């Protein structure tokens, strides 16, 4: 486990809205790669990038360049497709020549609704409106909402999925739903606590089963006794295990 660093932080904007920015945390020396941190909160405006700040600091201390991404959420101009537009544009910040970052390894790491967006970002190149200059190479989903149809049927977040999409999810939402984008071309890890009362572990279990059956590289990392927020506690064993996954990447 790695504690918080005193890393330099640069705020970069990618649009005119107050939520269109990202904080870039840099390590000492050459980065091992880039991790894009995407916070959760059922896509709602009351949850923001500060949820990801401790993780970004820990990642920088562990040698990674960490882009802690903010985006428009439901209640401040977000929802579909605006939130997806923002995540795509935020990731493409990494291609800016002024940053001088090696994008050979770009990992999206997202928690809860951010896990949904992290997995979605790996498939965005399949759709012309979201194709960009930076490819995602690996995905780590922390208690991610990876099956929008099942999440809505289960009433997760008090109807958060329908609120985010603007309607009940279905086949027409395939470009937005990780489960309907199986198989991904990139390896994906689902880190999930067995005692998660916000996003049940069945979300990750079903996704990994479908992905591996389709020939994709997907792995379930179970945190025994872990709840929803254990995974984003930078002092937790769950976070140490997530850093361990990253050690296998770069």
């Amino acid at each position: 486990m790695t504690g918080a660093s005193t890393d330099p932080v640069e705020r970069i904007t990618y649009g005119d809205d107050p939520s269109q920015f990202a904080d870039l945390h840099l390590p000492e020396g050459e980065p091992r790669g880039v991790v894009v941190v995407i916070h959760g909160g059922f896509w709602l405006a009351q949850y923001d990038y500060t949820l990801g700040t401790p993780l970004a600091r820990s990642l920088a201390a562990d040698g990674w360049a960490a882009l802690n991404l903010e985006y428009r959420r439901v209640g401040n101009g977000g929802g579909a497709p605006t939130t997806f537009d923002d995540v795509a544009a935020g990731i493409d910040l990494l291609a800016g020549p002024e940053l001088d970052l090696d994008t050979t390894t770009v990992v999206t790491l997202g928690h809860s609704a951010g896990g949904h967006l992290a997995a979605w970002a790996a498939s965005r190149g399949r759709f012309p409106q979201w194709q960009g200059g930076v490819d995602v190479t690996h995905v780590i989903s922390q208690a991610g909402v990876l099956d929008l149809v099942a999440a809505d049927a289960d009433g997760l977040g008090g109807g958060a999925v329908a609120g985010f999409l603007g309607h009940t999810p279905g086949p027409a939402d395939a470009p937005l739903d990780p489960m309907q984008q199986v198989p991904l071309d990139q390896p994906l890890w689902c880190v999930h606590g067995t005692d998660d009362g916000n996003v049940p572990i069945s979300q990750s279990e079903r996704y990994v089963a479908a992905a591996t059956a389709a020939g994709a590289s997907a792995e379930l990392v179970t945190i025994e006794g872990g709840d929803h927020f254990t995974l984003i506690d930078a002092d937790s064993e769950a976070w140490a295990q997530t850093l361990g996954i990253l050690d296998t990447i770069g």
Side-chain angles (χ1 to χ4, degrees):
M1 198 176 327
T2 306
S5 73
T6 56
D7 59 279
V9 180
E10 178 182 359
R11 177 155 295 184
I12 314 162
T13 60
Y14 60 89
D16 295 331
D17 191 272
S19 292
Q20 292 178 307
F21 70 87
D23 286 346
L24 179 63
H25 297 248
L26 292 173
E28 294 184 7
E30 193 70 22
R32 299 163 61 181
V34 181
V35 179
V36 180
V37 179
I38 309 176
H39 72 84
F42 282 120
W43 309 279
L44 296 172
Q46 58 260 48
Y47 303 98
D48 67 12
Y49 77 102
T50 58
L51 290 170
T53 299
L55 306 187
R57 289 174 175 162
S58 175
L59 288 163
D62 206 39
W64 295 88
L67 189 75
N68 188 21
L69 182 60
E70 187 57 286
Y71 53 90
R72 287 173 288 180
R73 287 93 65 210
V74 175
N76 72 344
T82 309
T83 294
F84 298 94
D85 295 341
D86 282 4
V87 171
I91 291 171
D92 284 340
L93 285 172
L94 299 171
E98 69 280 3
L99 299 185
D100 192 28
L101 288 172
D102 183 349
T103 56
T104 303
T105 299
V106 176
V107 183
T108 50
L109 179 140
H111 176 247
S112 192
H116 158 258
L117 295 170
W120 169 82
S123 70
R124 70 179 177 120
R126 301 175 182 180
F127 310 102
Q129 67 268 43
W130 292 306
Q131 289 173 353
V134 176
D135 293 328
V136 172
T137 61
H138 305 77
V139 180
I140 301 176
S141 167
Q142 301 171 293
V145 184
L146 299 179
D147 184 339
L148 296 185
V149 174
D152 184 69
D154 292 343
L156 299 192
V161 175
F164 174 59
L165 296 176
H167 55 261
T168 300
D173 299 301
L176 313 179
D177 187 354
M179 181 63 89
Q180 297 185 66
Q181 286 301 309
V182 167
L184 280 184
D185 299 323
Q186 303 88 338
L188 183 147
W189 291 262
C190 289
V191 183
H192 217 124
T194 57
D195 293 351
D196 193 323
N198 296 72
V199 177
I201 196 171
S202 58
Q203 278 277 318
S204 289
E205 290 171 336
R206 283 195 298 259
Y207 180 88
V208 169
T212 53
S217 174
E219 181 179 344
L220 177 64
V221 180
T222 302
I223 307 299
E224 291 297 332
D227 65 20
H228 193 60
F229 296 100
T230 300
L231 307 184
I232 55 172
D233 177 356
D235 294 320
S236 69
E237 180 58 30
W239 179 243
Q241 288 188 240
T242 302
L243 291 177
I245 294 169
L246 287 163
D247 285 342
T248 70
I249 296 172

